[in-house]
Amino acid sequence: MDYDRIFKSAIERLHDEGRYRVFIDILRTKGSFPNAHCFGGNGPKPITVWCSNDNLGMGQHPAVVEAMEKALHEVGAGSGGTRNISGNTHYHTELEAELADLHAKQAALIFTSGYVSNEAALSTLGKLLPGCIIFSDELNHASMIAGIKSSGCEKRVFRHNDLDHLEELLAATDPDTPKLVAFESVYSMDADIAPIAAICDLADKYNALTYLDEVHAVGMYGDHGGGISERDGVAERLTIIEGTLGKAFGVMGGYIAADKTVVDCIRSYAPGFIFTTSLSPVLVAGALASVRHLKQSQEERRAQQESAGMLKAKFAAAGLPVMPSETHIVPLLVGCPVKAKRVSDILLGEYGLYVQPINFPTVPRGTERLRFTPGPTHTAGMMDELTSALVEIFGREELREAA
């Protein structure tokens, strides 16, 4: 067996399809984001970042940095172990209380990442509910799909945001069968929003639990940053809300919020929680400061929405193929993995503008795109520079006609 040939062939397939992923080597500059420096070639080169998930710049906010420095000097770097053994610090319990309050729930539970929180929570829920059927939106995150698969439950996929199809599937299920509807609030690639209240109506009608992934909305929507469910006044109707600390809150980690019994079950049964060293108290302190700040401050959310609206308008006015978006995410259609990578490379190499291409399997083949996430610190001048560069590159690569 030629193992080396098998591995090399797997990588070559990605190159042949134009889907091989290259990780940029950068350092952000504290206090001047979205400015950063890219390493490689002739040394560090100044660039502007257009695809960060630190959507509100909270990863560099003075209150967050100060809280992390304070925790580092007071308690040290690591947590000391799993939550069960020695890693259940006071920072962890404080953050969980803040997150529960943020989502109008009794309790919350922190994980090491959003991926882990989805995988651990969904797999555990499915195993605890005998014969459970999980109804999953077809565009759900990979982590949700992994959790559902690991649960061993029967899965029924409904067409994206299609209430009629969801009801058809629910109605065809035995009323006495445990049911869970799993979906997202903001879908990050198509930048659209789920009809949360209507899905809750169906869940109530057919006696199903609900699981909402808010990772692309927490911090950015709602009066206190509770996400689309807070904005729409439906948080209390959802069984479980899942979120991340690594996007709008600017640090690292994931979490769920629900009633005390549900959270206690996942805390007690989920291997992805039980057997993992807990987040460093330094990270938790930063996340705690970020959550508390965004509960009180509207400025970051307001500025982000203004930036997103401005960039969409500039792209549209320039004739660029900007895709419809209800949210802060600005997707630009390319439609070919090779060309998407080519545009991204030219932007970085010639213009010092960084955005990653988004290819299959993250999006369907033929819908490859560039995905921009303008934030509060992206200026109108930066947007003009980006738009002009894209117009030149799309013309050079003969993309506008194809798109």
Side-chain angles (χ1 to χ4, degrees), residues 138-160:
E138 66 177 341
L139 295 188
N140 276 344
H141 278 128
S143 55
M144 299 176 76
I145 295 168
I148 294 167
K149 183 177 181 180
S150 179
S151 74
C153 291
E154 181 179 346
K155 178 178 73 171
R156 297 185 183 169
V157 178
F158 60 94
R159 290 185 293 271
H160 178 51

Side-chain angles (χ1 to χ4, degrees), residues 274-301:
I274 295 170
F275 300 109
T276 301
T277 298
S278 67
L279 282 173
S280 161
V282 176
L283 294 170
V284 178
L288 180 60
S290 183
V291 171
R292 285 174 171 168
H293 176 83
L294 290 174
K295 276 185 173 182
Q296 305 299 323
S297 174
Q298 298 293 335
E299 179 57 27
E300 291 83 4
R301 287 187 281 275

Side-chain angles (χ1 to χ4, degrees), residues 50-213:
W50 282 100
C51 56
S52 173
N53 280 332
D54 185 0
N55 303 100
L56 302 179
M58 292 302 296
Q60 302 194 11
H61 193 281
V64 175
V65 174
E66 181 182 353
M68 295 180 75
E69 289 177 338
K70 184 172 184 288
L72 176 64
H73 291 292
E74 288 187 354
V75 304
S79 67
T82 65
R83 295 282 292 275
N84 179 58
I85 295 174
S86 60
N88 190 59
T89 74
H90 188 59
Y91 288 107
H92 290 78
T93 57
E94 280 192 296
L95 178 55
E96 286 171 346
E98 287 287 353
L99 292 168
D101 176 73
L102 178 66
H103 295 294
K105 300 298 180 189
Q106 294 177 344
L109 191 66
I110 308 168
F111 296 81
T112 50
S113 75
Y115 188 104
V116 173
S117 58
N118 268 334
E119 197 281 332
L122 284 166
S123 63
T124 303
L125 285 168
K127 289 171 183 173
L128 290 175
L129 295 168
C132 180
I133 297 175
I134 299 180
F135 300 80
S136 175
D137 189 288
E138 66 177 341
L139 295 188
N140 276 344
H141 278 128
S143 55
M144 299 176 76
I145 295 168
I148 294 167
K149 183 177 181 180
S150 179
S151 74
C153 291
E154 181 179 346
K155 178 178 73 171
R156 297 185 183 169
V157 178
F158 60 94
R159 290 185 293 271
H160 178 51
N161 282 347
D162 189 329
L163 295 170
D164 291 336
H165 190 213
L166 174 58
E167 180 161 24
E168 178 186 328
L169 295 174
L170 287 167
T173 305
D174 185 333
D176 294 328
T177 297
K179 294 174 281 291
L180 174 67
V181 182
F183 61 110
E184 301 178 34
S185 58
V186 172
Y187 287 83
S188 65
M189 292 305 143
D190 287 348
D192 57 347
I193 294 174
I196 301 175
I199 290 175
C200 288
D201 290 341
L202 290 177
D204 291 345
K205 181 177 179 180
Y206 293 98
N207 193 27
L209 302 178
T210 49
Y211 184 102
L212 178 67
D213 178 315

